[in-house]
Amino acid sequence: MAAVGRRPGLVLFAVAVLLGSVAALRADVTEEQIRPLTVVALVAIVLGEQLPMRISGRVIAPLTTAPALGFILTPLAANGVRPSAWTVLAVVWLCILLGGLIARLRGLSVVEGSLGSRFLGMAVTTLIARGIVTDGQTLVEWAFDAQTHAALGALGLLLAALAGGLVERVLDNLVAWIGQRGSFAHIVAAEVGPFAGISMATVATGPLIALASPVLDWAATPLLILPVLLSYLSVQRVVATRQAMEEAVIALSRFSEITDLTRAGHVQRVADLSVAIGREMAVDVAMLRDIERTALLHDVGQLGLDEPLRTGATIHASTSEEAVMARSVTRVIAGTPQLAELTPYLDQVRTPFRRAREFGERIPLPSRIVRVANAWDDITEGAVSSRARAVALERLHLGLGYDYDPEVVAALERALSAH
């Protein structure tokens, strides 16, 4: 039970295994159903599992989902007999499972929760498209009926695919929420951006494959997957660029530790605590990223000091030393457009909260959060004992409203109690 609590995705995977096993037992695959269209679609599903995409800590497999949806929504009639919903679902499950096994043997990471939510989303689409009979017809039969308007048929298939996609994303978000124990709004916010774009393109491709299959037969799957593949490559490039930037920020953040200007681990501890505070304050994903970067770079300015600070703690810095550090970090990041936007945050980390109260000065939230997290680590020096925590909290409370934002300190206390 403890393992399940730490990895809620296992529960989702177990449900998928159970449903897939039931489908396999109830499946009725005949020789007539093994056609080029079916073989190509199933090979595409297996290959798609070899190309997962990780964005914002989530894993999706658009090159699996698109052909799987196309297969589910295609008539697949053989000698006038269409396979049952259980048969279609069983075949999709076995292909996903085989693809995941091959990926694991190749040394790739297979995320159980993601695989489970992906299959359960497809199961919902299968139920809607092939498992529910109305007036003697399933949705797939109705959509391809000669008496059904083509536009209405296409809309019906798209809605079935959208329903399955929505279930997949909801389940994936629930797993992330339970696992991270953060704000659900923050978890859902990760769906915005490239993630949403590639997901919608994937869901729309499934019905297109199904609609094209009567004309293109087996060629429908490889031809119509091409746009998804191109989107996949574009998003992967964006993700790789973002990852390279994050690695550059981490490397730059370590300069102060490498040169012994700050204590070992200080910068990373401040960054981790700042992110935890940001989550407690329910900031969005973009702001959380700015908070983390500001925390990682907040001590780079110490490279410009003539004399190192005592123990490397910026709470001991004088006003003139704080100004030197602010100018130094500005010079370091000014030439990098992706980091230059952090300049106001880094400059205001040194600003006491009283200036906002007394003079109406606007201090950005990332600056206020990093100021509190940095002070906490400067005081505790990385210690986690009850004594160190009590002393640090007392110091922070003495500076409430003067040096530190009371709301941020309260969020700090909540973050500490949650761990």
Side-chain angles (χ1 to χ4, degrees):
M1 291 298 293
V4 171
R6 290 192 299 270
R7 299 179 63 184
L10 287 174
V11 176
L12 216 56
F13 182 70
V15 174
V17 170
L18 179 61
L19 181 59
S21 300
V22 172
L25 291 173
R26 302 190 63 172
D28 182 21
V29 180
T30 63
E31 186 177 347
E32 291 80 7
Q33 293 169 357
I34 304 175
R35 301 160 48 200
L37 182 151
T38 303
V39 173
V40 170
L42 301 185
V43 169
I45 294 172
V46 173
L47 293 177
E49 285 295 324
Q50 315 311 306
L51 297 169
M53 175 181 289
R54 186 180 294 272
I55 307 176
S56 302
R58 317 289 177 76
V59 177
I60 59 174
L63 297 174
T64 290
T65 303
L69 289 175
F71 176 73
I72 292 168
L73 299 173
T74 298
L76 301 174
N79 296 329
V81 179
R82 291 187 171 90
S84 67
W86 287 115
T87 301
V88 171
L89 192 60
V91 173
V92 169
W93 168 246
L94 292 175
C95 288
I96 290 177
L97 208 57
L98 176 60
L101 178 60
I102 294 173
R104 180 62 63 86
L105 292 175
R106 292 178 57 230
L108 299 177
S109 174
V110 177
V111 181
E112 298 92 346
S114 173
L115 192 150
S117 62
R118 184 156 58 251
F119 174 68
L120 292 175
M122 294 175 190
V124 169
T125 297
T126 305
L127 172 65
I128 295 172
R130 312 186 81 97
I132 299 175
V133 179
T134 305
D135 294 331
Q137 287 183 314
T138 64
L139 176 62
V140 170
E141 292 169 339
W142 172 80
F144 287 90
D145 193 306
Q147 297 182 357
T148 303
H149 193 286
L152 288 177
L155 179 60
L157 296 179
L158 178 60
L159 290 175
L162 282 172
L166 180 61
V167 168
E168 176 189 344
R169 300 313 323 138
V170 168
L171 292 175
D172 215 20
N173 283 324
L174 284 173
V175 169
W177 179 48
I178 295 170
Q180 297 178 15
R181 301 184 185 279
S183 164
F184 189 71
H186 164 72
I187 298 296
V188 173
E191 299 288 323
V192 179
F195 200 102
I198 190 73
S199 295
M200 290 302 298
T202 302
V203 167
T205 299
L208 289 177
I209 293 174
L211 292 168
S213 62
V215 178
L216 301 176
D217 196 51
W218 63 267
T221 297
L223 284 176
L224 291 172
I225 280 180
L226 279 176
V228 178
L229 176 61
L230 294 176
S231 298
Y232 169 89
L233 295 175
S234 298
V235 174
Q236 283 289 73
R237 185 172 181 179
V238 171
V239 172
T241 301
R242 183 181 295 175
Q243 180 64 30
M245 176 57 66
E246 298 304 326
E247 292 173 356
V249 169
I250 291 173
L252 185 60
S253 72
R254 296 188 63 227
F255 281 3
S256 60
E257 292 183 11
I258 293 173
T259 53
D260 294 327
L261 292 174
T262 57
R263 297 179 305 278
H266 166 74
V267 172
Q268 190 59 55
R269 288 194 300 271
V270 172
D272 292 341
L273 186 55
S274 296
V275 169
I277 294 172
R279 284 177 174 159
E280 288 295 331
M281 300 184 76
V283 303
D284 59 37
V285 174
M287 179 64 74
L288 202 63
R289 185 167 59 248
D290 287 343
I291 290 170
E292 183 177 27
R293 288 181 174 181
T294 301
L296 287 170
L297 298 175
H298 80 281
D299 269 340
V300 171
Q302 291 199 40
L303 297 171
L305 294 175
D306 294 329
E307 295 290 335
L309 296 173
R310 178 163 57 91
T311 70
T314 51
I315 58 172
H316 301 312
S318 65
T319 303
S320 60
E321 287 173 326
E322 288 178 337
V324 169
M325 288 188 288
R327 288 195 299 269
S328 297
V329 73
T330 299
R331 288 198 299 269
V332 170
I333 68 173
T336 308
Q338 295 88 343
L339 297 181
E341 61 187 20
L342 300 177
T343 301
Y345 303 151
L346 290 163
D347 181 63
Q348 295 279 22
V349 168
R350 62 192 173 114
T351 305
F353 185 69
R354 65 179 177 82
R355 295 188 64 85
R357 298 179 61 183
E358 297 175 4
F359 306 111
E361 188 171 339
R362 183 184 176 277
I363 306 174
L365 181 60
S367 305
R368 287 179 273 141
I369 288 177
V370 174
R371 182 176 179 83
V372 169
N374 176 70
W376 171 269
D377 197 75
D378 278 348
I379 297 168
T380 62
E381 297 184 351
V384 295
S385 66
S386 299
R387 167 79 177 160
R389 288 192 170 201
V391 170
L393 281 176
E394 183 179 0
R395 290 276 299 274
L396 291 179
H397 284 160
L398 288 173
L400 282 183
Y402 186 86
D403 274 325
Y404 312 114
D405 182 347
E407 291 185 13
V408 175
V409 174
L412 165 68
E413 294 186 66
R414 293 195 301 272
L416 292 172
S417 63
H419 294 81

